[in-house]
Amino acid sequence: MQCTFVAVSADSDFSIYNLPFGVCSTGADAPAHVAVAIGDYALDMVELARLGLFADIAGLDATSVFSKPYLNDYMALGRPVWQAVRQRLQDFLSNEQNSVRLQLAINNVESVAKPLDSVVMHLPARIGDYTDFYASREHATNVGVMFRGKDNALMPNWTHLPVGYHGRASSVVVSGTELHRPCGQRRPDASKPPVFGASVRLDYELEMAFFVGPGNKLGSPLAVEQAEERIFGVVLMNDWSARDIQAWEYVPLGPFLGKSFGTTISPWVVTMDALEPFRVPQPAQDPQPMEYLRDMTGRPGGYDIALQVDIKPAGSNSFYTLTRSNLKYMYWTLRQQLAHHAAAGCNMRPGDLCGTGTISGPTEDSFGSMLELS
């Protein structure tokens, strides 16, 4: 399948097989709305809806849903609607005889597609709740060795359940948002009292995160099979961490100010349907998970997604690669994370965000944070 509506380079991340969703606006006074990326363009989903591209898709009021400055309403509709919209978009982009294509004036691309460099990207959803997991065995082991030694690197519960904590949703921001260096208590000298001030050990955490689609009622758990159907898509995530503040505050309840000052996500949400070709088996799980976490779908739960972190030091014109990792290293799968989250009856809602935790691999160049690299 080839896009014939706009030119798409062979090495574009936004091919006709991707079609990620986001929210954008075209100026300071223009309302934000839902868009889909193709090549170097953002498709205006509101205009396409007005032209009738999504007519007769059961359960979808396209003009209303895509006019919203967030994706929550669309996320809530579920996989049959998501797949129908994806099919309509691919036909529109690849089929020159598509009925909506024929309505457009010759070469009138601008009416439904705006150059990416001309739009402003916004947070893709109203994030009601944000949970961060700790699902990479390599990362958990590396950090455990630092604090507890090699023999006690993993806590006894780690291989039995996806460990997670509730993060601060209000400070999740879209890529490009400026963040302030956080202040908090830290204790640089163990022989002296703590001090208050700006963090001097700011770190990145290479993560991905998934957005929840249709939720579940309070008190109604989700099976692993159900959880997979309720994941809308994924984003890149940097869970910024002030290590010196975190080290002093995290016992006994976990990180607080060391994490809550900012978490950055990419503006485009790649749908799970787009990731189907990249499924791979997850790492072997030993011991076997409990029944509610056991995967009976018959489909691989891992995804082969290459990830890289580059940094440009102050005063430099060059980027340097610090990390090359991959989502396929994740011990606990996305669907296992969501199933565990809902196991106690927690009601998940459209637009809830769940981070994977730092994604580290088996070699030093794949470690997903400077905490591990330093």
Side-chain angles (χ1 to χ4, degrees), residues 244-255:
D244 44 359
I245 295 173
Q246 181 182 355
W248 171 240
E249 73 180 1
Y250 83 101
V251 176
L253 293 181

Side-chain angles (χ1 to χ4, degrees), residues 167-203:
R168 181 69 184 175
S170 66
S171 54
V172 178
V173 296
V174 71
S175 293
T177 302
E178 292 188 357
L179 295 175
H180 296 277
R181 183 175 292 270
C183 289
Q185 289 191 27
R186 49 192 178 86
R187 195 178 187 185
D189 188 338
S191 65
K192 297 179 181 179
V195 297
F196 180 85
S199 172
V200 296
R201 294 183 59 206
L202 200 59
D203 197 0

Side-chain angles (χ1 to χ4, degrees), residues 219-272:
S220 300
L222 294 172
V224 170
E225 296 82 0
Q226 293 174 306
E228 175 160 287
E229 293 301 306
R230 283 166 167 76
I231 297 176
F232 173 70
V234 297
V235 290
L236 295 172
M237 188 169 97
N238 181 1
D239 192 24
W240 297 95
S241 302
R243 298 300 186 191
D244 44 359
I245 295 173
Q246 181 182 355
W248 171 240
E249 73 180 1
Y250 83 101
V251 176
L253 293 181
F256 188 29
L257 302 189
K259 295 276 193 176
S260 63
F261 64 95
T263 299
T264 301
I265 64 171
S266 56
W268 295 107
V269 186
V270 178
T271 66
M272 302 313 292

